[in-house]
């Protein structure tokens, strides 16, 4: 290779090796410059890979459609390839690294013939900061390059910061034939390597995100005494100007991006409260010199779900997407050359192309039949964090923000109360480990299926889940002044199946109680599951339709449902296997005893 922007032999030798495997016609280094980004946008528009949208209404915005068989993360085809199966654990798919490489090498061989291989040097975290980790992604997709330019910090300064070190994550992505049967997203945590083949969809191919910043980083965090978590980070600014930060983990599709960009209700705004977004998906957590836990968001953008995003649910996200955004699999309004998705507004476009690329008639849309949607339910926006109106001034702080509270959450119709507090770090780890979400079998009206999703990390832990719980417990011993741990549930329903709590901005009321607890400014009552608020301590001023009785109902601990849950948790722990720490079994036993005493 001539004229390379680095002389790092570990980088150059690896690129040589991957290039001789994939056989691209040429290799292009991505330097992070606007000129190069614009040239790639032009090229993608010329080939039809992207559509340039109305630049007056949506400056810097583009539309892309993936293949119709390639629209979401594929957990069934995601593997953790450790040398010992036990190290990947029972929850992950596992393949031996040698077997995996042999299989995937065949898929990569010659796959970039006639194409360009792009070399993307990127940083997760601020380049040069103590939190940052570097990666290089090789890809044959301009769409991936343009998304990585939004989602991460890309450029020659990453190579400068890496210097001659071998310490970077090697990512290889080839679209190949987009063949579902041979689609693989594989991680070699022992070799700092990620391979992705036969997909072009975000979560499978933007290797800095789930693959690196969660799966590989969780593995590194365990070795290096830090944590990589599937958490948003937000700051609440009080009227006196002080800001307190919380992290929150929710399973996918529970409104994480909405909470991260929450706008406080008018009652709070009038008093001077503000909420600032530090991150919407991933937090890297370390013990600071002051003995507190500090968090950074390693990403530089948001890869959010478009449907349902609107002026009411998340005006900040909507405004973030009005410039420099790549939309994927949404509706194309061809008259205006703009975009639309279900739940944006009540004016679906007359002249429209759906996410599959076919003409779309909104009159045929039936909300109970997903196949009639104009935008794919998992359609996305890739938007720059810097364009977010409520982005925290600490977003680029290299050491991050100090965390007062960790909030776990799930979607539970009956079991979990609106909010409760764990009694210790160990008990809080237990609360995280039993996180779950329910889906309701709408057609048959049956009670939902519970999917246990510990710390919202089920698809993202790069090693054995039992070891991951043990790492949480071990971290607790390293944090002299740990955050308090809470659990929330915005999704409790009444007997007709309607949500009781209004959610969205009103969730501020629950966060206020949480932060008061962290400052010992409010009492709580003990219950079998942890500390519960006194109903009068959740502020309901200027909140229509919610009374003290409603709050009492939302805080009710229903013993029979919890006892059923205990059984379900026991089964889940058995499935995780023998590395579940004894401390968590003891927490579960103690919970059962307390419930039976109630
Ligand atoms: C995501 C997810 O895309 O969690 O962030 O699925
Ligand atoms: Mn996520």
């Amino acid at each position: 290779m001539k004229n390379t922007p680095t002389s790092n032999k570990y980088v150059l030798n690896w690129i040589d090796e991957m290039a001789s495997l994939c056989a691209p016609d040429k290799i292009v280094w991505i330097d992070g410059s606007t000129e190069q980004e614009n040239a790639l946008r032009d090229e993608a528009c010329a080939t039809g890979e992207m559509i340039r949208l109305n630049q007056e209404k949506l400056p810097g915005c583009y539309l892309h459609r993936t293949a119709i068989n390639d629209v979401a993360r594929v957990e069934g085809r995601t593997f953790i390839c450790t040398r010992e199966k036990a190290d990947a654990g029972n929850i992950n798919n596992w393949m031996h690294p040698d077997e995996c490489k042999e299989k995937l090498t065949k898929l990569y061989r010659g796959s970039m013939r006639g194409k360009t291989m792009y070399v993307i040097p990127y940083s997760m975290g601020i380049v040069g900061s103590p939190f940052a980790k570097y990666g290089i992604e090789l890809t044959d997709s301009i769409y991936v390059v343009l998304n990585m330019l939004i989602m991460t910090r890309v450029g020659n300064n990453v190579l400068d910061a890496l210097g001659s070190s071998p310490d970077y994550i090697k990512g290889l992505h080839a679209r190949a034939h987009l063949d579902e049967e041979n689609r693989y997203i594989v991680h070699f945590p022992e070799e700092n390597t990620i391979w992705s083949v036969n997909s072009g969809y975000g979560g499978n191919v933007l290797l800095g995100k789930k693959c690196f910043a969660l799966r590989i980083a969780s593995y590194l965090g365990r070795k290096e005494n830090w944590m990589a978590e599937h958490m948003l980070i937000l700051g609440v600014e009080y009227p006196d100007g002080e800001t307190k930060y919380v992290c929150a983990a929710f399973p996918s599709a529970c409104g994480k991006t909405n909470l991260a960009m929450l706008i406080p209700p008018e009652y709070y705004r009038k008093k001077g409260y503000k909420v600032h977004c530090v991150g919407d998906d991933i937090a890297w957590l370390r013990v600071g010199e002051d003995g507190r836990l500090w968090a950074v968001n390693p990403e530089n953008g948001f890869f959010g779900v478009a449907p349902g995003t609107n002026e009411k649910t998340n005006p900040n996200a909507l405004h973030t997407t009005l410039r420099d955004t790549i939309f994927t699999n949404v509706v194309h309004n061809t008259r205006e050359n703009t975009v639309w998705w279900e739940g944006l507004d009540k004016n679906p476009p007359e002249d429209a192309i759906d996410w599959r690329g076919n003409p779309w008639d909104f009159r045929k849309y039936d909300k109970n039949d997903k196949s009639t949607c104009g935008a794919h339910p998992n359609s996305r926006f890739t938007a720059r964090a810097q364009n977010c109106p409520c982005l925290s001034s600490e977003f680029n702080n290299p050491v991050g923000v100090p965390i007062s509270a960790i909030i776990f959450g799930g979607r539970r119709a009956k079991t979990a109360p609106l909010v409760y507090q764990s009694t210790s770090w160990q008990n809080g780890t237990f609360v995280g480990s039993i996180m779950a979400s329910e889906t309701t079998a709408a057609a048959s009206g049956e009670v939902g299926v519970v999917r246990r999703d510990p710390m919202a990390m089920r698809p993202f832990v790069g090693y054995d889940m039992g070891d991951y719980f043990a790492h949480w417990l071990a971290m607790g011993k390293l944090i002299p002044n740990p955050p308090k741990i809470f659990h929330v549930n915005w999704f409790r329903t009444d007997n007709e199946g309607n949500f009781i709590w209004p959610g969205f901005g009103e969730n501020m009321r629950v966060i206020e109680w949480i932060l008061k607890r962290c400052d010992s400014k409010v009492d709580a009552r003990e219950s079998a599951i942890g500390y519960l608020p006194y109903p009068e301590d959740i502020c309901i001023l200027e909140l229509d339709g919610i009374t003290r009785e409603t709050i009492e109902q939302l805080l009710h601990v229903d013993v029979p449902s919890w006892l059923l849950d205990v059984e379900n948790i026991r089964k889940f722990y058995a499935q995780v296997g023998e590395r579940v720490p004894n401390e968590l079994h003891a927490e579960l036993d103690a919970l059962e005893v307390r419930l039976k005493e109630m």
Side-chain angles (χ1 to χ4, degrees):
M1 260 183 290
K2 283 185 268 166
N3 297 330
T4 56
T6 177
S7 53
N8 183 319
K9 67 176 192 306
Y10 302 102
V11 171
L12 298 179
N13 291 347
W14 168 68
I15 296 177
D16 268 346
E17 199 189 323
M18 295 303 111
S20 58
L21 172 63
C22 301
D25 278 13
K26 58 175 181 164
I27 297 179
V28 168
W29 291 72
I30 301 301
D31 59 16
S33 68
T34 313
E35 295 71 38
Q36 191 184 43
E37 184 175 20
N38 284 337
L40 288 170
R41 286 164 157 181
D42 290 347
E43 192 178 333
C45 291
T47 60
E49 191 175 342
M50 292 207 314
I51 296 167
R52 179 172 283 115
L53 294 167
N54 183 328
Q55 296 298 295
E56 265 159 42
K57 294 197 163 143
L58 297 168
C61 292
Y62 294 81
L63 169 65
H64 170 81
R65 294 188 200 104
T66 63
I68 55 174
N69 72 1
D70 189 22
V71 292
R73 287 189 290 103
V74 279
E75 286 176 22
R77 308 207 64 94
T78 300
F79 289 79
I80 301 294
C81 302
T82 43
R83 300 204 78 76
E84 297 296 327
K85 180 177 187 323
D87 292 335
N90 295 337
I91 301 297
N92 285 314
N93 300 315
W94 175 84
M95 230 189 298
H96 191 281
D98 295 344
E99 180 199 340
C100 181
K101 281 184 196 156
E102 198 187 317
K103 195 188 255 252
L104 268 64
T105 296
K106 294 196 189 102
L107 304 175
Y108 281 118
R109 178 148 291 131
S111 64
M112 296 189 190
R113 205 156 273 135
K115 300 186 185 174
T116 301
M117 176 190 264
Y118 298 95
V119 180
I120 316 171
Y122 66 96
S123 173
M124 300 313 291
I126 313 282
V127 180
S129 87
F131 267 98
K133 298 250 170 218
Y134 307 127
I136 298 182
E137 175 163 355
L138 307 178
T139 178
D140 55 4
S141 157
I142 295 185
Y143 171 75
V144 168
V145 174
L146 294 172
N147 274 272
M148 287 292 283
L149 284 165
I150 298 174
M151 293 305 297
T152 70
R153 295 166 173 90
V154 174
N156 289 344
N157 57 342
V158 174
L159 295 169
D160 297 341
L162 181 65
S164 57
S165 160
D167 191 12
Y168 69 98
I169 306 301
K170 307 181 193 76
L172 175 64
H173 165 244
R175 284 163 48 90
H177 306 288
L178 297 179
D179 168 11
E180 264 176 295
E181 301 299 312
N182 282 304
R183 184 167 296 155
Y184 288 97
I185 321 299
V186 305
H187 308 71
F188 305 97
E190 291 147 350
E191 299 170 44
N192 282 346
T193 298
I194 306 161
W195 280 8
S196 162
V197 66
N198 274 312
S199 174
Y201 167 78
N204 300 327
V205 298
L206 307 180
L207 300 185
K209 194 174 181 60
K210 304 296 187 184
C211 300
F212 176 173
L214 287 176
R215 298 195 189 95
I216 296 285
S218 61
Y219 178 90
L220 294 175
R222 177 168 175 242
K223 277 205 312 202
E224 300 166 2
N225 289 335
W226 56 282
M227 304 161 91
E229 297 296 332
H230 191 197
M231 290 177 177
L232 63 89
I233 312 166
L234 67 79
V236 175
E237 185 181 329
Y238 287 80
D240 68 2
E242 197 196 355
T243 304
K244 299 222 179 275
Y245 296 91
V246 307
C247 283
F250 296 85
S252 305
C254 284
K256 239 166 79 224
T257 304
N258 294 346
L259 184 62
M261 298 181 188
L262 169 153
I263 297 189
E266 208 193 327
Y267 170 74
Y268 285 85
R269 288 203 308 274
K270 278 188 307 207
K271 293 198 337 186
Y273 283 87
K274 293 186 188 125
V275 169
H276 306 286
C277 172
V278 183
D280 78 325
D281 197 39
I282 298 176
W284 284 1
L285 304 160
R286 280 173 205 263
V287 188
E289 279 166 15
D290 62 356
R292 290 188 290 173
L293 195 61
W294 288 68
V296 296
N297 169 9
E299 301 190 281
N300 203 23
F302 308 117
F303 184 63
V305 175
T309 306
N310 61 43
E311 275 298 349
K312 180 169 173 288
T313 56
N314 196 339
N316 283 320
L318 197 61
H319 289 222
T320 311
T321 64
L322 294 181
R323 53 176 61 243
D324 312 324
T325 296
I326 301 173
F327 296 95
T328 302
N329 291 343
V330 298
V331 176
H332 189 197
N333 174 342
T334 47
R335 196 182 295 171
E336 304 261 314
N337 193 20
T338 53
V339 288
W340 191 85
W341 50 78
E342 279 72 16
L344 172 62
D345 54 36
K346 298 216 158 44
N347 307 311
E350 288 280 343
D351 300 312
I353 305 279
D354 69 10
W355 70 272
R356 295 182 181 83
N358 298 325
W360 182 68
D361 180 354
F362 69 86
R363 290 168 206 89
K364 302 217 172 103
Y365 170 63
D366 166 6
K367 73 173 189 305
N368 297 318
D369 177 0
K370 291 258 185 269
S371 72
T372 63
C373 283
H376 188 276
N378 191 34
S379 55
R380 299 279 176 150
F381 54 80
T382 318
R384 289 189 204 287
Q386 292 304 338
N387 290 340
C388 177
C390 64
L391 192 71
S392 164
S393 57
E394 300 305 298
F395 178 76
N396 281 319
N397 186 335
V399 293
V401 294
I403 299 302
S404 300
I406 290 177
I407 305 173
F408 293 123
R411 186 183 276 271
R412 304 301 303 265
K414 300 284 172 226
T415 322
L418 179 63
V419 58
Y420 68 101
Q421 183 188 350
S422 67
T423 53
S424 63
W425 180 273
Q426 174 175 306
N427 178 248
T429 301
F430 169 71
V431 169
S433 80
I434 67 169
M435 256 174 74
S437 262
E438 280 158 22
T439 51
T440 33
S444 61
E446 279 166 15
V447 180
V449 190
V450 179
R451 172 180 147 108
R452 302 235 83 96
D453 188 354
M455 285 82 170
M457 284 288 279
R458 184 181 180 127
F460 306 122
V461 177
Y463 57 100
D464 178 84
M465 185 66 82
D467 286 343
Y468 169 72
F469 295 157
H471 179 53
W472 262 80
L473 294 177
M475 284 299 299
K477 303 208 167 77
L478 299 178
I479 319 169
N481 191 0
K484 306 259 186 304
I485 302 178
F486 298 80
H487 188 282
V488 298
N489 175 24
W490 318 132
F491 301 98
R492 242 163 118 152
T493 53
D494 61 19
N495 291 340
E496 281 76 53
N498 305 308
F499 294 124
I500 306 174
W501 179 248
F504 300 106
E506 308 299 347
N507 294 335
M508 174 75 192
R509 299 168 187 273
V510 174
I511 293 179
E512 189 197 19
W513 180 81
I514 287 175
L515 288 173
K516 275 194 185 150
R517 284 295 292 163
C518 295
D519 282 343
S520 309
K521 285 196 181 136
V522 67
D523 258 351
R525 53 199 164 121
E526 278 178 40
S527 78
I529 60 172
Y531 299 116
L532 288 170
Y534 288 103
E536 56 276 22
D537 289 332
I538 302 283
C539 168
I540 53 169
L541 289 171
E542 297 183 22
L543 179 55
D544 283 350
I546 300 282
T547 61
R548 286 280 157 248
E549 290 66 46
T550 326
I551 299 288
E552 259 164 49
Q553 185 190 354
L554 284 165
L555 293 174
H556 176 68
V557 177
D558 182 56
V559 174
S561 340
W562 271 92
L563 285 171
L564 275 180
D565 222 37
V566 165
E567 284 321 302
N568 185 285
I569 297 163
R570 249 187 240 298
K571 286 200 192 107
F572 178 64
Y573 275 4
Q575 193 191 341
V576 173
E578 55 195 28
R579 298 197 193 178
V580 173
N582 289 335
E583 291 90 327
L584 297 193
H585 286 294
E587 288 282 345
L588 180 58
D589 292 342
L591 171 65
E592 185 172 20
V593 170
R594 289 193 304 269
L595 286 165
K596 287 188 170 154
E597 277 167 1
M598 258 178 90

